[in-house]
Amino acid sequence: MKGYLRKDGRKGIRNIVVVSYLVECAHHVAARIAQHYQQEDVHLIGFSGCAPNDYAERMMQQLCTHPNVGAVLLVSLGCENFQRQRLLQDIKQSGRKGQLIVIQEEGGTRASIEKGIAIVGTMLHKIADTPQVEVTWGDLMVGTVCGGSDGYSGITANPSVGATFDWLVDHGATCIFEEPGELIGCETLLRDRAVTPELGQRLYNCIVKADKYYKQMGHDSFSAGNATGGLTTIEEKSLGSYCKSGSRQIQGLTYPGIRPDTPGLWMMDVVPDGEARWGFPNINDNAEVMEMAACGCQMVLYTTGRGSVAGSAIAPVIKVCSNPDTYARMTDDMDINAGAIVTQGLSFQQVSEELLNCIQQTADGIATKSETLGHREYSLGYKSFHCIKMC
C-alpha cells in the first residue's frame, strides 16, 4: 500500500485539498470555489454556527490536519467567532499548505470566489508531486458506523466487520467503533472487554449516559426504517450494532476529535455530557463519519441494510451491504455484498477477506463506490464534553 507521510508521522491514503467555511455566511463562497474543481480532489467542509464552541473548533482543527489532507483554504466572512488565525497557524505548523480568505476584506462574493479558485489551483499544483511512502496495516486507523440497519445487519454485515476489526487489531491497526445510543443493553458486555476495571466502568457509564440523554430527548435510535427492514426490538438492534466491534479487548474510550494514542480497539463516545441541550447527538450518519475522521480514521466501514448512498468528505467510505436484495438493487453504491452469507452460504471470514482486500485497495488509492459517484457529504454541529481525557 502507498500513501503520503505527514509531518506528525501519520500517513494519508489520499492527498486532497480542503475548502473550509468557518460560518454559514461563508458557505456559498466556499462551495462555489470547491465546485469549480468537481473533477479534482477538492473537498468542501465547514461549520455553520456563529457562536463559539470548543467541540466544533477541535473538530475543524483535526479535520484540516487529517492525514488525507494536503492543503487547506479557509473561507471566513470576517465577523464570526471562529478562531481563524489560530486554525490557519495549526494548519501551517502541521506542514500543510494553508491560506485564508476573509470575504469582508476581499470585497465580497465575486472577488472572494475568483481569488479562492486561483488559490486552490495553485495548491493542487504544489501538492501533486508529494512523494508516496509505504503504508502498513499498522499505519491504518479504521472506523465503523452503521446506517439504515435491517433484519440482516446483525447476521451478515456487522459480524463481518467485527471479524475484519479482529484481524486489523491483530496486525497492529487502530480500530474505532461508536454509537452508544445503539449499544443500549450491551453495557455489561462492553465493560467485560475493557483492558482495565476503570475503563470498564467508563464504558458502562457511557451507555447509561446515552440512555438517559435519549430519554430526555424523547427519542431513541430505533427508526421506522429499522422496523420496515425487519428489526423488532432495540435489543436486537443493539446486539447487531455491537457485533461490529469484534471480539478483541477494548483499549480505551475516546471522543470526537481526540486521536487514540495507542493501536488496538477503541470506542468513541458521541453523546454530549450533561442535560440534553444540544439536540440529537448525531442528526445524520454523516456526522458520525466525520467524527471518526476527526479522530484520525483514514477510512470508514459503513454497514447498511436499507441502502444508504451517502459518502464522506476527507475519509473514504466503504459500504458493506447486509441485505442481498438491497445490494442487487443498489450495486453502484455498495462495495461489499455481505448478504452473500445468506444467499451463497459464505462465512463471516470469507466476507471479511473480501472486505480486507477492499480496504487494501482503498488504501492504495483505488476509489470506493461513493468516491466514484462523487459523494463528499459533511455534517458538523454543536456538542460539549466535560472531560475529554482518554482512558
Side-chain angles (χ1 to χ4, degrees):
M1 297 181 286
K2 296 290 185 180
Y4 305 90
L5 179 63
R6 305 304 182 189
K7 184 178 178 180
D8 62 4
R10 293 185 294 167
K11 296 175 183 177
I13 62 171
R14 298 291 184 268
N15 195 33
I16 66 173
V17 173
V18 160
V19 179
S20 177
Y21 58 93
L22 305 183
V23 67
E24 185 62 26
C25 303
H27 190 163
H28 174 75
V29 169
R32 289 290 299 274
I33 294 167
Q35 287 166 4
H36 186 81
Y37 294 99
Q38 286 186 14
Q39 304 307 314
E40 306 286 344
D41 278 333
V42 177
H43 293 204
L44 175 72
I45 67 172
F47 175 59
S48 62
C50 192
N53 182 246
D54 290 342
Y55 161 79
E57 297 217 9
R58 182 175 72 248
M59 287 283 289
M60 290 292 285
Q61 192 275 341
Q62 291 297 322
L63 290 168
C64 288
T65 58
H66 188 280
N68 289 352
V69 174
V72 182
L73 172 62
L74 302 178
V75 183
S76 162
L77 175 62
C79 55
E80 70 276 359
N81 282 285
F82 206 102
Q83 299 297 314
R84 57 181 180 269
Q85 291 295 341
R86 184 173 64 188
L87 179 57
L88 180 61
Q89 182 181 16
D90 289 342
I91 292 166
K92 290 181 176 180
Q93 288 180 344
S94 75
R96 291 162 176 81
K97 310 294 182 185
Q99 284 191 244
L100 168 68
I101 288 177
V102 180
I103 297 171
Q104 291 169 347
E105 297 175 4
E106 295 297 336
T109 298
R110 193 184 309 277
S112 299
I113 292 172
E114 291 175 355
K115 183 172 182 178
I117 288 172
I119 289 172
V120 171
T122 301
M123 286 178 166
L124 286 168
H125 177 73
K126 287 183 176 180
I127 69 172
D129 59 354
T130 303
Q132 288 190 288
V133 297
E134 194 70 26
V135 173
T136 69
W137 293 107
D139 294 318
L140 293 181
M141 186 181 295
V142 182
T144 186
V145 302
C146 56
S149 299
D150 70 351
Y152 285 97
S153 296
I155 60 175
T156 60
N158 290 351
S160 298
V161 168
T164 303
F165 264 28
D166 285 349
W167 191 95
L168 289 170
V169 167
D170 291 346
H171 287 77
T174 305
C175 296
I176 307 178
F177 69 101
E178 48 95 65
E179 298 170 303
E182 296 187 359
L183 291 169
I184 293 171
C186 299
E187 51 268 29
T188 302
L189 297 173
L190 293 168
R191 183 181 61 191
D192 292 346
R193 288 172 60 192
V195 292
T196 66
E198 179 188 10
L199 172 61
Q201 192 59 49
R202 291 186 67 200
L203 294 171
Y204 187 96
N205 293 343
C206 175
I207 306 304
V208 172
K209 179 184 70 170
D211 188 27
K212 178 182 177 182
Y213 194 101
Y214 277 105
K215 285 177 179 175
Q216 287 179 326
M217 290 295 300
H219 166 77
D220 59 32
S221 66
F222 197 92
S223 70
N226 295 151
T228 303
L231 287 172
T232 59
T233 63
I234 186 64
E235 290 85 358
E236 186 179 12
K237 183 175 182 180
S238 291
L239 288 170
S241 178
Y242 175 79
C243 290
K244 300 199 307 301
S245 67
S247 63
R248 299 299 182 259
Q249 280 193 304
I250 301 171
Q251 297 297 315
L253 178 66
T254 188
Y255 301 86
I258 303 296
R259 299 202 301 263
D261 54 3
T262 59
L265 180 66
W266 289 71
M267 180 175 169
M268 182 168 66
D269 183 0
V270 305
V271 178
D273 291 335
E275 298 302 310
R277 61 194 178 99
W278 298 104
F280 297 135
N282 289 98
I283 59 173
N284 54 50
D285 295 324
N286 287 104
E288 298 170 355
V289 174
M290 296 318 300
E291 288 173 336
M292 287 286 179
C295 284
C297 292
Q298 293 111 324
M299 68 180 79
V300 176
L301 311 182
Y302 189 133
T303 67
T304 181
R306 300 285 290 164
S308 172
V309 300
S312 169
I314 300 178
V317 164
I318 295 175
K319 292 287 181 55
V320 186
C321 187
S322 66
N323 189 313
D325 293 334
T326 302
Y327 181 85
R329 289 195 308 271
M330 304 180 68
T331 305
D332 285 348
D333 290 276
M334 303 296 146
D335 298 281
I336 302 293
N337 179 19
I341 290 171
V342 175
T343 57
Q344 301 175 30
L346 299 186
S347 65
F348 298 142
Q349 194 60 41
Q350 287 173 306
V351 175
S352 175
E353 289 173 2
E354 184 181 354
L355 182 51
L356 285 166
N357 183 60
C358 186
I359 291 171
Q360 186 172 20
Q361 290 180 338
T362 302
D364 227 2
I366 297 176
T368 65
K369 293 290 185 70
S370 62
E371 286 183 291
T372 300
L373 292 167
H375 282 286
R376 296 173 180 176
E377 286 86 350
Y378 173 85
S379 181
L380 173 63
Y382 282 101
K383 287 186 181 180
S384 66
F385 296 90
H386 301 329
C387 176
I388 59 173
K389 181 178 180 292
M390 292 184 299
C391 171

